[in-house]
Amino acid sequence: KEYIGYFDFKTLTCLFCVLAVVCALRNIRFFYTMAKAIVRKFKTAKLAVLALVYITFIGSMLIANDMALLTFLPLGYFVLRTTGKEKYMAFTYIMQNIAANLGGMLTPFGNPQNLYLYSKFNIPDAEFVTIMFPPFIVAIALITVLCLIFVKSEPLEIREEEVKLPAARVAIYLVLFALSILIVFRTIPYVIGLIVIPTALLFLDRKALGKVDYGLLLTFVFFFIFSGNMARIEIVRTFFSGLLEKSTLIFSALSCQVISNVPSAILLSQFTENYRELLLGVNIGGVGTLIASLASLITFKAYTKDQPGNTLKYMLKFTALNMLFFVILIAFCMI
């Protein structure tokens, strides 16, 4: 009977609803079309890469970091391949990855761990944004500076036929997305979303329901069980509580480097009430090692598929850039 209490059903429902609607919008190429229109306005490699990274950054705030990468990494590949700028492929993918992990930290639904902590600790909306806004601004500034330094202002041109969006479906999906967001912000009971959204998609786009990242949902389920059981073991509770008392920020950020940020958030939330530092730690901790965030594995898989044979070079660049962000953001938050 204790197991039922382990699960945060609101978090699971909100995550499912957001992912399902985003999949439906991706299936009609909504995000791709919008992003491509923006990128086409820029005429140099420097500005195009900045646009790609910013789009991923903003997208992660609205559709979650992993979905932003699945949506916008192919756009980055298309832009660089068709303009002959493959030399910027590794840098662009890495910066998109960092942008997805750090852009999503500003909103409760931007990163999966945010949604969980926001729900578990009932963090007020204004306080959530206040906590995350300073490192968010630092991340934007650092991303911008690096893109301006490492990408040259080389002319480029992108050509492709326009994709016409189905207006009726776009409108319906946007309404469903708005419903998902209202559920996240506790305006509408999550049970309503669990009924309305799957029912609507069952008629409009069954494939979207099949493309939901159920692996991510199951990750939450199993870590709810694991962390719930761990929290009931006295020696484990004493050990983790002691470490978190010394520095919740540092320990939570470092734990992400080993077990990833979503599991870290679920596990460590059982041993501390310091949600401010925990929230900062598991978001900043998303940059660092390849396994610090599940989203990073998506980028790695996409890059090795698009650019086979350059894995080692990619890993060295990935580690160097991610660790740079990790150190600067941790130092900033500690100050």
Side-chain angles (χ1 to χ4, degrees):
K1 66 180 182 180
E2 296 287 341
Y3 275 55
I4 296 299
Y6 292 166
F7 300 108
D8 187 333
F9 292 105
K10 180 179 182 294
T11 296
L12 292 172
T13 300
C14 290
L15 191 57
F16 169 77
C17 290
V18 171
L19 291 176
V21 177
V22 167
C23 284
L25 286 167
R26 284 186 66 224
N27 284 349
I28 60 173
R29 305 186 76 186
F30 174 78
F31 301 113
Y32 184 87
T33 304
M34 295 296 101
K36 187 174 64 179
I38 295 173
V39 171
R40 275 185 166 180
K41 295 182 181 297
F42 302 96
K43 304 298 183 182
T44 67
K46 187 189 294 288
L47 292 178
V49 170
L50 268 173
L52 287 166
V53 174
Y54 282 163
I55 289 166
T56 309
F57 197 86
I58 296 170
S60 66
M61 288 188 282
L62 303 175
I63 62 175
N65 56 355
D66 55 346
M67 298 305 294
L69 288 171
L70 289 170
T71 302
F72 301 127
L73 282 176
L75 178 62
Y77 174 76
F78 162 76
V79 170
L80 297 174
R81 180 181 59 82
T82 56
T83 57
K85 304 299 180 185
E86 287 92 343
K87 62 183 179 180
Y88 295 124
M89 194 78 72
F91 177 79
T92 303
Y93 272 41
I94 293 168
M95 295 309 294
Q96 283 185 283
N97 183 84
I98 292 172
N101 281 324
L102 296 180
M105 67 181 170
L106 187 63
T107 60
F109 45 86
N111 288 330
Q113 69 271 16
N114 284 3
L115 191 57
Y116 167 71
L117 293 175
Y118 173 81
S119 177
K120 177 176 175 59
F121 293 106
N122 289 312
I123 305 173
D125 299 336
E127 184 180 0
F128 188 100
V129 175
T130 301
I131 292 171
M132 302 311 303
F133 188 71
F136 175 81
I137 292 299
V138 173
I140 292 177
L142 189 54
I143 285 171
T144 303
V145 169
L146 290 175
C147 288
L148 292 176
I149 291 174
F150 288 103
V151 184
K152 297 179 181 179
S153 294
E154 302 169 353
L156 54 78
E157 185 177 351
I158 303 172
R159 294 179 180 176
E160 188 181 322
E161 294 182 4
E162 294 291 338
V163 176
K164 190 173 181 180
L165 294 172
R169 288 202 174 195
V170 169
I172 295 172
Y173 292 161
L174 289 178
V175 169
L176 293 178
F177 185 73
L179 175 63
S180 301
I181 302 307
L182 290 174
I183 293 169
V184 170
F185 284 111
R186 312 180 186 115
T187 304
I188 296 175
Y190 70 85
V191 176
I192 294 178
L194 192 58
I195 296 172
V196 173
I197 291 175
T199 301
L201 293 180
L202 194 62
F203 289 99
L204 295 169
D205 188 355
R206 294 184 182 181
K207 291 182 179 179
L209 293 174
K211 290 182 178 179
V212 170
D213 189 350
Y214 293 105
L216 179 60
L217 293 172
L218 286 174
T219 297
F220 271 83
V221 168
F222 292 127
F223 267 96
F224 281 143
I225 296 172
F226 173 73
S227 60
N229 283 332
M230 292 289 284
R232 292 170 61 189
I233 302 173
E234 183 61 32
I235 189 172
V236 173
R237 184 164 60 246
T238 302
F239 175 72
F240 279 113
S241 297
L243 288 175
L244 290 169
E245 282 179 8
K246 293 178 181 178
S247 179
T248 303
L249 172 65
I250 297 296
F251 183 68
S252 58
L254 290 176
S255 69
C256 295
Q257 308 308 307
V258 182
I259 64 172
S260 189
N261 50 8
V262 172
S264 290
I266 297 173
L267 177 62
L268 299 182
S269 66
Q270 310 299 317
F271 308 102
T272 182
E273 292 298 318
N274 186 358
Y275 61 77
R276 180 186 181 279
E277 289 196 11
L278 181 58
L279 190 61
L280 288 167
V282 297
N283 275 276
I284 295 171
V287 295
T289 65
L290 188 63
I291 61 172
S293 169
L294 297 176
S296 298
L297 296 175
I298 293 174
T299 306
F300 178 73
K301 182 179 179 181
Y303 181 80
T304 53
K305 178 183 177 182
D306 296 336
Q307 298 286 299
N310 295 319
T311 304
L312 179 59
K313 186 177 179 182
Y314 172 86
M315 287 299 300
L316 291 174
K317 286 185 178 180
F318 178 92
T319 303
L321 289 169
N322 272 264
M323 286 303 175
L324 176 66
F325 277 85
F326 182 84
V327 171
I328 291 176
L329 289 173
I330 287 293
F332 174 79
C333 290
M334 290 183 68
I335 294 172

